[in-house]
Amino acid sequence: MRANCWMGRNHVEVRDVPDPRILNSRDAIVRITSTAICGSDLHLYDGYIPTMKKGDVLGHEFMGEVVETGPDVTGLRAGDRVVVPFPIACGACDACEHGLYSVCENSNPNAGMAEKVMGYSPAGIFGYSHMLGGFAGGQAEYARVPFADVGPIKIEDDLPDEQVLFLSDIFPTGWMGAEMCDITPGDVIAVWGAGPVGQFAIASAFLMGAERVIAIDRIPYRLDKAERAGAEVLDYERTDVLDALRDMTAGRGPDACIDAVGIEAHHPAPLMYGYDRAKQATRTETDRPFALREAIMACRNGGVVSVVGVYGGFVDKFPMGSLMNRSITLRGAQCHVQRYLRPLLERIRAGDIDPGFVISHRMPLEDAPHGYEIFRQKEDDCLKVVLTP
Ligand code: NAD
Ligand code: ZN
Ligand code: ZN
């Protein structure tokens, strides 16, 4: 089959790879009809995650048709149309029983690698490095889906792919980012990052009753999109974000702050300097605001900082004094997608939201390298790329 493969830093290639096969009695094989490129894929693309190997199949946001099931898969059969959540979860361990699917205790065969850097291991994730299981991803014609009786949700034929594809990740992730803020009517929520995840966090915060949402980014077309969704916007390159947020909230700060940026706001920023390594090497961390630090400093006393942006390894110069002295609660998670599939599918059915609003580009799987390039460089007003195998 054809699949989009990681070939090194800033290099992906669509190649011929072996078709996936059922390896475990609870596996299913899914023929992929739609798959997307995520901001999380950019961390791999930029080489921030060291446990990638040349030829690894990328992609963790996908849906399609079940073509084969292992003998122990109940509730799914060939012909079913499904959306597949990005974390792989067994459904039966202590974590899964508590709804903490993204920290399933049974789905990462390489847990030892993750334990070395994180203490304990989170769940396996499709197409997301060997540390997180080494599972082939869904930017491909077919994928093997472990624990297929737990994760995938069946979708009726009346809803097109574009309305349901993002149940696999970014809609639940934005939703969870807002949910972690314990929003009560009247709240002011600030969201760092107006990428696809930030856009869903904004929409979700409004659906949960936030009175005002303030979006922070530097990219005009992304800020425009946030503004059209009802948010007030701040360009962090033109404004002192901390001062502006203070002014906009009568001197108290937003009730909760969502970090929908992640690691790229901390590490040297190829986004600003293209692929110029010399500039990256001389760039200091202070050239650019570190979103999480800013979110903590901005949050009102007693508020919540909700982190859905992805981080790896250690992050230093953390304003612990501000967090501790001002009663701030810090929360973060890879999304427990399985928890949100049914309620959010109902929201889509009810017409509360059409998740397709983030799609800016549609292209064949073969054009994945171009898709990565424009999504990475934020060119051509690229907000979200959907690939069709
Ligand atoms: P994206 O790269 O399209 O968007 C990130 C946005 O942040 C960009 O628009 C960028 O301009 C902006 N940004 C960069 N530095 C900033 C700063 N200092 N202040 C404010 N904005 C800044 O990515 P995305 O697809 O929207 O994903 C966002 C983050 O969410 C990524 O880290 C991704 O890995 C993560 N993610 C997490 C989960 C989860 O389960 N927790 C799921 C999906 C994605
Ligand atoms: Zn994703
Ligand atoms: Zn489990």
Side-chain angles (χ1 to χ4, degrees):
M1 67 164 182
R2 301 289 285 166
N4 185 42
C5 301
W6 188 89
M7 299 302 288
R9 189 169 173 270
N10 298 136
H11 182 194
V12 299
E13 224 174 87
V14 181
R15 316 179 90 205
D16 287 318
V17 302
D19 286 351
R21 290 181 302 114
I22 301 269
L23 298 180
N24 183 295
S25 62
R26 288 168 72 188
D27 289 350
I29 304 295
V30 172
R31 183 181 62 78
I32 293 158
T33 53
S34 295
T35 175
I37 305 173
C38 179
S40 299
D41 294 322
L42 295 181
H43 310 318
L44 305 175
Y45 191 61
D46 287 335
Y48 288 148
I49 317 278
T51 59
M52 290 296 288
K53 289 186 191 156
K54 228 178 186 178
D56 284 348
V57 178
L58 290 162
H60 58 268
E61 301 183 355
F62 59 97
M63 65 177 296
E65 186 192 327
V66 175
V67 290
E68 197 185 342
T69 54
D72 292 330
V73 176
T74 51
L76 270 193
R77 54 181 180 195
D80 285 342
R81 184 166 172 248
V82 290
V83 173
V84 180
F86 78 82
I88 300 170
C90 77
C93 69
D94 192 60
C96 286
E97 283 190 343
H98 287 87
L100 299 169
Y101 297 98
S102 73
V103 290
C104 170
E105 294 161 13
N106 288 325
S107 67
N108 183 359
N110 300 335
M113 275 164 93
E115 282 164 10
K116 280 195 187 129
V117 277
M118 292 191 243
Y120 297 88
S121 176
I125 294 181
F126 291 102
Y128 217 74
S129 89
H130 291 268
M131 185 173 70
L132 296 180
F135 294 96
Q139 287 165 10
E141 289 181 286
Y142 295 91
R144 176 176 77 93
V145 177
F147 301 121
D149 48 334
V150 177
I153 183 171
K154 279 197 245 180
I155 305 287
E156 304 293 321
D157 286 339
D158 61 325
L159 289 170
D161 279 22
E162 292 192 354
Q163 267 187 44
V164 290
L165 170 62
F166 302 133
L167 286 172
S168 60
D169 180 345
I170 54 172
F171 181 16
T173 296
W175 182 272
M176 187 190 73
E179 193 182 67
M180 290 194 291
C181 297
D182 295 334
I183 296 173
T184 53
D187 277 359
V188 181
I189 309 298
V191 180
W192 275 256
V197 171
Q199 302 287 344
F200 277 107
I202 294 165
S204 301
F206 279 129
L207 284 170
M208 289 175 196
E211 187 173 309
R212 296 166 62 201
V213 178
I214 304 166
I216 300 137
D217 204 304
R218 63 179 267 274
I219 298 173
Y221 69 84
R222 292 179 171 220
L223 289 172
D224 288 349
K225 186 93 179 173
E227 206 162 28
R228 284 197 297 277
E232 295 152 69
V233 299
L234 294 174
D235 177 341
Y236 71 78
E237 284 191 335
R238 290 164 195 272
T239 327
D240 182 304
V241 172
L242 292 181
D243 284 350
L245 287 173
R246 179 184 285 268
D247 288 348
M248 292 163 90
T249 54
R252 293 170 63 227
D255 296 291
C257 295
I258 300 175
D259 172 354
V261 181
I263 201 167
E264 69 159 353
H266 182 64
H267 282 250
L271 183 68
M272 277 173 120
Y273 297 124
Y275 300 141
D276 185 334
R277 283 179 187 224
K279 276 192 188 149
Q280 279 182 44
T282 55
R283 180 188 172 281
T284 64
E285 198 195 328
T286 48
D287 288 1
R288 178 175 213 201
F290 172 30
L292 177 55
R293 188 183 305 152
E294 215 169 57
I296 294 169
M297 298 299 282
C299 190
R300 75 151 158 83
N301 292 350
V304 175
V305 174
S306 159
V307 182
V308 287
V310 162
Y311 288 87
F314 296 86
V315 170
D316 63 358
K317 296 190 187 151
F318 190 82
M320 194 60 211
S322 173
L323 183 132
M324 185 271 158
N325 285 291
R326 301 196 299 108
S327 292
I328 287 169
T329 302
L330 179 68
R331 292 182 179 154
Q334 289 280 11
C335 187
H336 304 295
V337 175
Q338 286 82 340
R339 233 196 243 175
Y340 302 100
L341 288 170
R342 273 165 223 293
L344 295 186
L345 179 61
E346 273 166 34
R347 288 276 182 172
I348 296 170
R349 277 219 174 277
D352 292 345
I353 185 166
D354 177 353
F357 79 98
V358 292
I359 301 173
S360 59
H361 291 75
R362 302 165 175 87
M363 55 186 80
L365 177 67
E366 293 296 321
D367 293 344
H370 176 64
Y372 270 74
E373 185 63 19
I374 58 172
F375 183 52
R376 171 70 185 78
Q377 300 291 48
K378 277 63 181 165
E379 280 169 12
D380 196 18
D381 289 4
C382 184
L383 183 58
K384 190 75 180 175
V385 180
V386 174
L387 303 166
T388 322

